[in-house]
Amino acid sequence: MIRTSVIAFLILLFTASARAAGWSQQWINTGDSCRESQIWFVKSLNLPRQVHRVFIDAASNGRIQIYANGYNVTTSVLAPYRDTDKTLRSLHCEVTPFVQDTVCNLKVWYSPFLNDYPGRQLSLTLYGTYTDGTTFALTCDDSWSWTAVDATTSINTDEIETIGSIELSSLYTDLPMPQLLPVSISHTSDAISTYEPQYIRHILPCQLVDSTATSLTYLAPRPFKGWTRVTMRGMRRGAIISIDGLNHTCSGKTDEQACRRFTIQRDAKQTVKILSTGGIDESNIMSVEAIEIW
């Protein structure tokens, strides 16, 4: 009886201590040189054996898109945050179909979101089983690197993209990237909960209702909250267009698209206005789409 009571007491003591201490989370970060800058976190992995199943768990104090061997494996949008929620959240995704042979090139596109958190931080674990049944887990560490993206996210949810749309095919071959910089390591016991994904629910075509020399106004079939995606053709390289808080610098390629990636319009709206001080013509606009997200 006494032995049973002692064991029960020790279990309760261990449980209370664990709750008080919290689970330590290992983070990589880039410091706080420019809070609005978007960046790539980069790592090339050579696994010792063929894999059977592979998964990623990731948490961040910003919003992220995860690429494995060039494929976007983030199954939802605006991950892993909601506009009014400041709790750190983790997202989960399977990457088995994208890990071929034993090579896994990981790139995480990070956008700052919460001004309350200094630095740009990511915690990521790649884990799974090999074909022989053994398990593995690899956590991001100081062997990762980072480099800048020519894009920013301001605290008022405006996005500025000073490059054309990124060619996903280049994500296979540009590791290591130029101007890679070392990350820093930190440990915290921040409370982290599971992320509830948000998805693209509908894509609605918009119709032109008004035009001037420097602006085009489109109307969606109904009010929507989400993204506006504009497909353009024959734009002058370097031309800047503004679409409801997104500033996009045109690449001048045959077809290109401008669309938010990491922010969302806070209120539902029905009209979309495209502005360009250098002038814009409706013949350059192939389509304007309202992308509903919830």
Side-chain angles (χ1 to χ4, degrees):
M1 182 68 179
I2 295 176
R3 181 181 179 183
T4 302
S5 299
V6 170
I7 292 174
F9 173 76
L10 291 175
I11 291 173
L12 288 172
L13 181 62
F14 172 79
T15 303
S17 300
R19 286 178 178 173
W23 294 104
S24 179
Q25 197 84 8
Q26 178 161 295
W27 300 87
I28 55 176
N29 66 81
T30 67
D32 195 26
S33 58
C34 180
R35 292 194 179 189
E36 296 187 349
S37 295
Q38 296 178 17
I39 62 167
W40 286 110
F41 285 109
V42 182
K43 175 65 178 177
S44 184
L45 294 171
N46 288 296
L47 302 170
R49 295 186 291 284
Q50 292 279 346
V51 297
H52 174 59
R53 303 279 307 270
V54 193
F55 302 90
I56 285 177
D57 280 347
S60 172
N61 64 353
R63 283 180 172 149
I64 56 177
Q65 289 180 352
I66 303 171
Y67 291 82
N69 288 334
Y71 293 96
N72 185 352
V73 300
T74 319
T75 54
S76 63
V77 297
L78 302 172
Y81 275 111
R82 294 182 178 178
D83 284 331
T84 58
D85 192 346
K86 295 182 179 181
T87 302
L88 293 179
R89 298 186 182 276
S90 66
L91 59 92
H92 171 82
C93 53
E94 182 172 0
V95 297
T96 305
F98 314 108
V99 179
Q100 301 175 356
D101 299 322
T102 59
V103 176
C104 184
N105 292 328
L106 289 175
K107 296 180 69 176
V108 181
W109 192 345
Y110 171 99
S111 171
F113 176 63
L114 294 180
N115 200 36
D116 297 345
Y117 288 89
R120 292 160 290 185
Q121 300 185 15
L122 170 72
S123 177
L124 182 146
T125 301
L126 180 85
Y127 64 95
T129 57
Y130 294 115
T131 52
D132 62 4
T134 58
T135 60
F136 67 93
L138 304 169
T139 302
C140 57
D141 55 23
D142 58 7
S143 66
W144 282 63
S145 304
W146 70 275
T147 190
V149 176
D150 288 335
T152 60
T153 307
S154 67
I155 198 61
N156 62 354
T157 71
D158 286 348
E159 285 191 64
I160 298 175
E161 189 179 64
T162 58
I163 56 175
S165 299
I166 288 181
E167 295 290 341
L168 294 187
S169 60
S170 68
L171 298 178
Y172 291 104
T173 57
D174 63 358
L175 285 171
M177 298 175 67
Q179 299 181 340
L180 288 180
L181 298 170
V183 298
S184 300
I185 299 293
S186 62
H187 293 80
T188 69
S189 55
D190 290 320
I192 296 179
S193 60
T194 302
Y195 168 65
E196 296 180 7
Q198 297 178 86
Y199 298 104
I200 294 173
R201 304 296 178 171
H202 301 98
I203 298 179
L204 310 171
C206 301
Q207 300 297 322
L208 180 68
V209 293
D210 186 51
S211 65
T212 70
T214 57
S215 70
L216 300 171
T217 303
Y218 289 79
L219 184 68
R222 61 173 180 263
F224 71 99
K225 182 178 179 182
W227 293 337
T228 301
R229 182 168 61 194
V230 178
T231 302
M232 297 164 285
R233 178 174 296 171
M235 296 295 291
R236 178 177 54 82
R237 180 176 177 83
I240 300 174
I241 64 169
S242 176
I243 311 166
D244 297 329
L246 168 68
N247 289 336
H248 171 83
T249 302
C250 296
S251 66
K253 295 182 179 179
T254 302
D255 286 339
E256 59 183 305
Q257 288 186 325
C259 185
R260 292 173 182 249
R261 293 179 183 271
F262 298 106
T263 62
I264 193 171
Q265 297 163 171
R266 295 186 179 275
D267 301 310
K269 61 184 302 180
Q270 194 167 0
T271 58
V272 175
K273 198 161 190 176
I274 305 173
L275 300 171
S276 178
T277 55
I280 189 166
D281 189 271
E282 61 185 273
S283 64
N284 295 121
I285 307 300
M286 299 297 99
S287 67
V288 176
E289 298 164 299
I291 302 177
E292 290 186 325
I293 296 173
W294 45 273

